[in-house]
Amino acid sequence: MVIYDAVIGLGAFISFIGTGYLIEFTGFIYPFAISGGIFFFFTILVAITLDDSLVHRETTSRIQVSVFLGQIFSLCTKVENISRGVSYILIYLLIFFIYNMPSSGSITTIFTLSSPFCWSSEHIGWFSAVSSIVVFVGGTAILKILQTCFKNIRDELVVIFGLLSSVASYIIFGLSTTDHMIYESAGVGILKILPVPLIKAILSRAVHPDKQGALFSNIYLLDTVCTIFGSTLFNNIYHHTVTLHKGFVFFVMAGFPFIALVMMIFVTCKTYSTRDPVELDLDNPQIQNSDSPS
């Protein structure tokens, strides 16, 4: 999961640099046109090349939309699809939602475009590209080091480190008055990408292999909701507080990973203090111990 996100970081590195120069020399039309063309190309590519790896016992000539939607939300409606209680899945989805809210929107771009920074589009492009490499690739390397040096380290503990890194990064960004402080905030936030793939991994282990698609449908649905509400919420907060303190919105944004941190610590302590190991029989996706705690 983390390597997958690191590859996304490499793609972001290239796109941020290219977009910065395209905006400077051609305006906004060409970057959007190129992005649309890329999405169209991959839509065709997926439609032509991607096959369903799951062998179906029964085939039907027509897909029923109601059945399809039911499969997406089957994690909450059919407990036999998960090895932990429904509340376990929901609490991690909620942590994911809360943590992901501040990552949406363009507040950092608006913040650096205005005084006292007055960055150009190339400067913003290079900063976004380098910070993506630092976060995605650097975070992946640090995770590998932690797993090598501490072989029994749990994903939940690394998630907590990542949440702390995110809180500190937003606070420093909100206090920034010079370019160097913004660079420092990017360095402090080197672990902030880790909670996203690790929460996905934690949830993936709790779901039957045949229901991984339903799980990630829920995750990316939440991600889309975060993008919509996050952009609206934080843009409005910035608009109404910019005269009070320009970086105030980042303090509000820091509150979201802090809430997720408190929830994560609580869930982790509860899980490992009352843990009763439960495993799924891959040939028969039924809960092996119905009395296990959720």
Side-chain angles (χ1 to χ4, degrees):
M1 297 288 183
V2 178
I3 293 175
Y4 170 80
D5 278 0
V7 174
I8 295 177
L10 291 174
F13 175 80
I14 298 172
S15 67
F16 280 130
I17 295 175
T19 302
Y21 282 104
L22 279 172
I23 291 174
E24 180 68 19
F25 294 113
T26 66
F28 290 92
I29 295 178
Y30 283 100
F32 279 104
I34 293 172
S35 298
I38 291 173
F39 278 115
F40 179 76
F41 169 75
F42 282 120
T43 301
I44 300 299
L45 185 65
V46 168
I48 294 175
T49 63
L50 190 63
D51 294 324
D52 191 350
S53 59
L54 181 63
V55 178
H56 297 278
R57 296 179 181 178
E58 297 180 1
T59 57
T60 57
S61 58
R62 185 172 58 184
I63 298 176
Q64 298 180 10
V65 176
S66 60
V67 174
F68 173 71
L69 294 175
Q71 289 294 323
I72 292 178
F73 299 105
S74 61
L75 299 180
C76 299
T77 58
K78 297 180 180 180
V79 294
E80 66 268 18
N81 293 328
I82 54 180
S83 61
R84 308 296 296 266
V86 173
S87 59
Y88 180 87
I89 301 295
L90 291 178
I91 193 67
Y92 272 104
L93 288 175
L94 181 59
I95 292 173
F96 176 87
F97 176 78
I98 293 174
Y99 176 71
N100 232 29
M101 280 282 285
S103 62
S104 305
S106 56
I107 297 298
T108 56
T109 301
I110 298 173
F111 186 76
T112 52
L113 277 172
S114 58
S115 176
F117 309 105
C118 300
W119 285 7
S120 64
S121 59
E122 299 104 310
H123 194 165
I124 293 174
W126 275 103
F127 170 76
S128 300
V130 173
S131 62
S132 295
I133 287 293
V134 169
V135 169
F136 286 94
V137 179
T140 304
I142 291 176
L143 175 62
K144 184 62 179 177
I145 293 171
L146 289 173
Q147 291 176 335
T148 302
C149 298
F150 307 97
K151 298 195 179 291
N152 294 325
I153 191 170
R154 298 189 179 277
D155 289 345
E156 291 84 355
L157 183 59
V158 181
V159 170
I160 291 174
F161 290 154
L163 293 172
L164 287 170
S165 175
S166 181
V167 171
S169 177
Y170 283 125
I171 291 176
I172 295 175
F173 206 103
L175 295 172
S176 295
T177 55
T178 64
D179 291 358
H180 292 291
M181 293 184 70
I182 293 182
Y183 302 149
E184 290 170 7
S185 72
V188 170
I190 191 170
L191 298 179
K192 68 179 183 180
I193 192 58
L194 294 182
V196 173
L198 291 178
I199 288 175
K200 292 177 184 177
I202 292 170
L203 288 170
S204 180
R205 290 195 297 266
V207 175
H208 189 268
D210 288 349
K211 294 301 177 182
Q212 297 296 314
L215 169 65
F216 285 96
S217 295
N218 283 271
I219 289 175
Y220 288 115
L221 175 62
L222 283 178
D223 192 40
T224 302
V225 173
C226 286
T227 301
I228 296 172
F229 285 96
S231 299
T232 304
L233 175 63
F234 296 114
N235 282 332
N236 278 281
I237 292 176
Y238 179 79
H239 174 71
H240 289 93
T241 60
V242 65
T243 55
L244 174 66
H245 179 69
K246 187 178 177 181
F248 181 83
V249 64
F250 293 100
F251 303 148
V252 178
M253 294 166 75
F256 282 76
F258 179 77
I259 294 172
L261 173 64
V262 173
M263 294 174 64
M264 190 69 202
I265 293 174
F266 173 78
V267 172
T268 302
C269 293
K270 182 178 180 181
T271 299
Y272 289 103
S273 63
T274 60
R275 191 169 186 178
D276 182 13
V278 179
E279 295 184 357
L280 281 176
D281 182 351
L282 299 185
D283 296 325
N284 183 19
Q286 300 293 326
I287 295 180
Q288 305 302 304
N289 185 353
S290 60
D291 297 326
S292 62
S294 61

